[in-house]
């Protein structure tokens, strides 16, 4: 069965979603919920062996599967994961299970369609992370937009149609350039759509520059990076709680993953020449968007801007290599930050959803004194707020610390501006927490609040264990990604320009690592 784990990770939730969809209308909503829970649990369980069976310090792909899909165009159903992608397949399936549980009692209208949309989207996202054929990746990458569009547009709040359309158009238009880039590379490799072939083809600097532009617009929108970030706050505010959890915890990571899988290894010379632009935009996201978050009055919008700021850390870590400095810390820190943000952002949006389900308001001013009526919830919310601020011993600290350490070794000012997130993150997160949770009971709605039930407590406890576990033992993550990160860095440090375009013949050799001995 191990040779088909990735196929199971993709198709188990998709088929489960189709079965849930066939249960019909409101009369069978209870059956739909139980089927969705079983399907999401099965989808998560089949991904666990991807982690437990992953070979340490192995830079290549594992659990590979390859079959002909469209042989006329040399397109294959080719799957595989390495240390850059394996964690996100597991994380996606884990969050999907929590989302199904989160919407158990809350979603009363079209519950079967709601659960089915998340299950199908989970399988499509896993397919994007596991795909090793460019057209297979593109198919999954685009198809996942449809269920998210429906989730926002059908189950969101009053301005949901505008937010769903804005989300769909931004991400779709950015992806069209990605398709053009894939077709160009297909001809450069003399008929292959294999991503590994794309990464080894020699390209002139001008061609790499055009590809970098195509990759930037496709993946920067998905991250989202400044200044193409404006769709995200609207999508988060209008989406239901489950939609916000998946959007922040998983789909944003596909943008950063795209930079890792495509932009850096395929166009490394252009990345070295123009990567400073990514660094500048990343630092703007860290500093400016952090200040924007500080003045928000809506809790969801505040956490949405917080996500943009934290993802700026990710893209900064990925592109710090352009000055020739040490990079392994930066890339591993970016990956750790992505995984941590998946836990923390899902927890933050779930906490906001718990309060919204009771008060039906996301405005900070409508709360105050929640700790008096919901003490257990307030304790969990405090932990996640601290993790969002980068408190040591939580997952939020590890990735930020690694990126800052890597930045110090490359350029002091990168580290200086990046480190401001530790100040701004604490400012906007704890300021929100203080106004919502502490103080006297502000109004009759807060006075009538009831603490978390068993279902909500279980979800919060699982997320708390994840945040603390990663913060206290990050080695369980870094040791499995280290081999793939070193392999990526070795590949990116080589010029892909042909000799006639000014490139130099490359001599393979061992890559010195600043992480040697750190694991």
């Amino acid at each position: 069965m191990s040779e088909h784990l990735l196929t199971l990770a993709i198709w188990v939730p998709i088929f489960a979603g189709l079965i849930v969809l066939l249960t019909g209308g409101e009369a069978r909503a209870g059956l739909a919920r139980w089927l969705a829970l079983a399907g999401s649990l099965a989808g998560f369980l089949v991904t666990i062996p991807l982690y437990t069976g992953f070979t340490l310090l192995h830079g290549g792909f594992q659990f590979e599967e390859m079959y002909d899909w469209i042989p006329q165009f040399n397109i294959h159903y080719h799957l595989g994961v390495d240390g850059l992608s394996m964690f996100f397949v597991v994380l996606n399936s884990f969050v999907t299970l929590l989302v199904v549980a989160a919407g158990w009692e809350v979603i009363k209208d079209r519950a079967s369609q709601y659960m089915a949309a998340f299950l199908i989207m989970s399988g499509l996202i896993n397919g994007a992370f596991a795909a090793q054929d460019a057209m297979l990746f593109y198919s999954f990458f685009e198809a996942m937009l449809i269920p998210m569009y429906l989730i926002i547009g059908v189950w969101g709040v009053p301005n949901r149609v505008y937010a769903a359309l804005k989300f769909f158009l931004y991400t779709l238009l950015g992806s069209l350039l990605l398709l053009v880039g894939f077709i160009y590379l297909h001809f450069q490799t003399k008929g292959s759509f294999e991503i590994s072939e794309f990464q080894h083809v020699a390209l002139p600097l001008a061609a790499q520059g055009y590809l970098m532009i195509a990759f930037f617009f496709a993946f920067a929108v998905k991250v989202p990076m400044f200044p193409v970030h404006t769709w995200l706050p609207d999508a988060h505010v209008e989406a239901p709680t489950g939609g916000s959890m998946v959007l922040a915890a998983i789909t944003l990571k596909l943008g950063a993953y795209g930079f890792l899988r495509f932009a850096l290894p395929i166009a490394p010379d252009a990345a070295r020449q123009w990567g400073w632009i990514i660094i500048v935009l990343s630092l703007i996201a860290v500093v400016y968007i952090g200040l924007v978050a500080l003045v928000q009055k809506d809790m969801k919008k505040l956490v949405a801007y917080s996500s943009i700021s934290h993802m700026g850390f990710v893209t900064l870590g990925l592109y710090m290599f352009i000055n020739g400095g040490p990079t392994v810390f930066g890339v591993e820190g970016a990956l750790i930050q992505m995984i941590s943000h998946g836990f923390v952002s899902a927890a933050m949006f779930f906490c906001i959803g718990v309060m919204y389900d009771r008060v039906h308001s996301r405005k900070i001013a409508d709360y105050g004194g929640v700790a008096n009526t919901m003490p257990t919830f307030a304790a969990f919310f405090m932990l996640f707020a601290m993790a969002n601020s980068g408190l040591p011993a939580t997952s939020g600290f590890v990735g930020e610390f690694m990126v800052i350490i890597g930045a110090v070794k490359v350029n002091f000012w990168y580290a200086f501006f990046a480190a401001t997130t530790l100040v701004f993150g604490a400012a906007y997160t704890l300021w929100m927490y203080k106004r919502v949770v502490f103080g006297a009971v502000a109004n009759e709605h807060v006075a009538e609040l009831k603490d978390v039930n068993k279902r909500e407590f279980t979800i919060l406890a699982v997320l708390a264990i994840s945040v603390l576990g990663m913060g206290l033992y990050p080695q369980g993550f870094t040791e499995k990604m280290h081999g793939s990160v070193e392999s990526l860095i070795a590949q990116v440090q080589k010029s892909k320009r042909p000799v006639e375009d000014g490139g130099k013949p490359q001599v393979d050799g061992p890559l010195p690592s600043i992480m040697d001995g750190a694991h």
Side-chain angles (χ1 to χ4, degrees), residues 5-6 47-63 80-87 90 261 476-485:
L5 281 174
L6 291 174
T47 65
I48 293 177
L50 296 176
Y51 176 84
T52 58
F54 195 84
T55 304
L56 299 183
L57 301 178
H58 186 302
F61 288 93
Q62 304 178 38
F63 307 103
V81 290
D82 61 359
L84 307 179
S85 55
M86 176 270 294
F87 287 105
V90 181
R261 185 64 72 212
F477 297 85
T478 57
E479 65 182 4
K480 290 186 180 290
M481 66 178 63
H482 186 62
S484 297
V485 169

Side-chain angles (χ1 to χ4, degrees), residues 189-201:
T189 55
K190 297 180 173 58
S192 175
F193 278 109
E194 288 293 304
I195 297 173
S196 59
E197 294 291 330
F198 288 178
Q199 294 175 351
H200 289 93
V201 65

Side-chain angles (χ1 to χ4, degrees), residues 86-283:
M86 176 270 294
F87 287 105
F88 299 108
V89 175
V90 181
L91 177 65
N92 174 49
S93 301
F94 171 72
V95 172
T96 301
L97 176 60
L98 296 183
V99 165
V100 170
W104 192 268
E105 299 172 354
V106 178
I107 302 300
K108 296 180 173 59
D109 183 31
R110 298 173 179 156
S112 61
Q113 292 93 326
Y114 176 86
M115 300 294 184
F118 279 106
L119 287 167
I120 293 170
M121 183 168 61
S122 176
L124 296 173
I125 293 172
N126 282 344
F129 280 119
Q132 297 306 310
D133 182 282
M135 293 309 297
L136 183 65
F137 170 85
Y138 187 79
S139 300
F140 284 126
F141 189 74
E142 292 292 81
M144 57 163 284
L145 298 179
I146 299 172
M148 180 55 80
Y149 173 79
L150 294 174
I151 288 166
I152 298 173
V154 175
W155 291 277
V157 292
N159 208 22
R160 58 187 180 271
V161 175
Y162 164 77
L165 189 61
K166 188 175 182 180
F167 155 77
F168 191 84
L169 290 178
Y170 264 67
T171 50
L172 178 65
L173 292 176
S175 301
L176 292 178
L177 286 176
L178 181 65
L179 179 61
V180 174
F182 285 166
I183 293 173
Y184 169 79
L185 288 166
H186 170 72
F187 288 107
Q188 295 302 306
T189 55
K190 297 180 173 58
S192 175
F193 278 109
E194 288 293 304
I195 297 173
S196 59
E197 294 291 330
F198 288 178
Q199 294 175 351
H200 289 93
V201 65
L203 296 171
L205 184 60
Q208 290 189 37
Y210 290 127
L211 284 171
M212 182 177 172
I213 292 173
F215 292 144
F216 174 82
F217 279 103
F219 301 129
V221 170
K222 187 74 76 174
V223 168
M225 294 182 64
F226 176 90
V228 289
H229 65 283
T230 57
W231 64 268
L232 184 67
D234 291 324
H236 271 312
V237 168
E238 303 302 323
T241 298
S244 293
M245 290 171 67
V246 171
L247 192 62
I250 305 300
T251 60
L252 306 189
K253 311 307 181 291
L254 270 169
Y257 173 75
F259 282 118
L260 276 172
R261 185 64 72 212
F262 296 98
L264 290 174
I266 293 176
D269 300 285
R272 279 189 289 271
Q273 184 173 28
W274 300 106
W276 63 270
I277 297 176
I278 305 290
I279 290 178
V280 170
L281 294 178
S282 299
L283 292 174

